[in-house]
Amino acid sequence: KRFQETKLKKKDFDYLINQIKKNGFKTIATPFDEKSVDLIEKQKLDYIKIASCSFNDWPLLERVSTSSQPIILSTAGIDKDDIDKVYSFLKNRKKNFCFLHCVGEYPTPDKNLELSQIDYLKNKYKDIEIGYSSHEDPQNFDNVRVAIAKGAQIFEKHVGLPTEKYALNKYSMSPSMAKEWLRSFKN
């Protein structure tokens, strides 16, 4: 219900894409079906992101593998064998892709962040970039530093704006928090 009520129109997407690029960031979207990949290609976004819940969605992976955009895949809750299968599938198709360490708990308590998974992924898949998809308390600016120290190279963080109808969720940061997070990232 919330997603339908907050669904963006094309002009809203265009505005966001322009603002993202204008501010020096890359554009990315997460498709949950093959038709959405068509839209990502039409909008000429920089990356396609596969959510953890779609990691084993083989029809979606087949469609994404035909795209020219680099692919970012979150690994929350995915077992090692399935990560190996997707790695092999994309490598055999000579795709540009990376994995993000992610915990599918929203928000993620610090004790459950499992940041050592970054080490595991970097050691196991040495020829691709490894990143960090962060869902911890948005006022925690230290974990991003740990992820960087462990070698994470790509980062995902949820940013939002509260509305009269909807409060900001407990794992998304406000734009001012995002500035502080980026400052911590830079430091």
Side-chain angles (χ1 to χ4, degrees), residues 9-183:
K9 295 178 174 63
K10 182 182 182 314
K11 67 179 178 122
D12 299 320
F13 273 113
D14 292 342
Y15 175 79
L16 286 172
I17 291 166
N18 288 333
Q19 290 300 308
I20 290 166
K21 289 182 177 187
K22 179 179 167 185
N23 284 283
F25 290 96
K26 298 290 185 179
T27 54
I28 183 170
T30 303
F32 292 97
D33 56 38
E34 296 85 333
K35 185 177 177 185
S36 297
V37 179
D38 298 339
L39 179 59
I40 290 170
E41 291 174 334
K42 186 176 181 180
Q43 292 173 319
K44 297 183 168 101
L45 301 186
D46 297 304
Y47 295 90
I48 297 174
K49 160 88 182 326
I50 299 298
S52 300
C53 63
S54 301
F55 196 90
N56 291 317
D57 181 339
W58 289 101
L60 179 60
L61 291 173
E62 285 281 357
R63 173 60 184 94
V64 167
S65 74
T66 67
S67 179
S68 63
Q69 281 94 337
I71 307 162
I72 299 173
L73 302 101
S74 283
T75 61
I78 308 302
D79 69 41
K80 294 174 184 179
D81 289 340
D82 286 335
I83 295 174
D84 284 344
K85 288 175 189 171
V86 170
Y87 173 85
S88 179
F89 173 81
L90 294 172
K91 269 296 178 187
N92 286 330
R93 284 156 183 76
K94 297 179 179 21
K95 299 308 299 176
N96 180 0
F97 70 99
C98 69
F99 291 144
L100 297 182
H101 164 58
C102 177
V103 175
E105 186 176 357
Y106 302 82
T108 311
D110 288 348
K111 67 181 181 170
N112 295 347
L113 289 174
E114 304 288 340
L115 291 174
S116 291
Q117 279 296 107
I118 295 170
D119 300 320
Y120 169 78
L121 292 169
K122 283 193 70 62
N123 289 326
K124 173 97 179 181
Y125 308 105
K126 295 179 188 291
D127 59 340
I128 65 170
E129 291 181 333
I130 302 300
Y132 177 48
S133 178
S134 165
H135 302 118
E136 68 265 13
D137 181 328
Q139 295 188 52
N140 181 330
F141 304 116
D142 294 328
N143 293 329
V144 68
R145 293 177 180 184
V146 175
I148 290 169
K150 289 184 167 290
Q153 298 168 286
I154 297 170
F155 297 84
E156 176 186 43
K157 188 70 179 165
H158 296 258
V159 180
L161 293 171
T163 67
E164 290 180 19
K165 191 169 184 177
Y166 297 110
L168 194 59
N169 63 43
K170 296 187 185 304
Y171 59 89
S172 293
M173 56 177 51
S174 67
S176 62
M177 288 178 185
K179 285 182 182 178
E180 185 62 33
W181 188 80
L182 289 168
R183 190 174 3 266

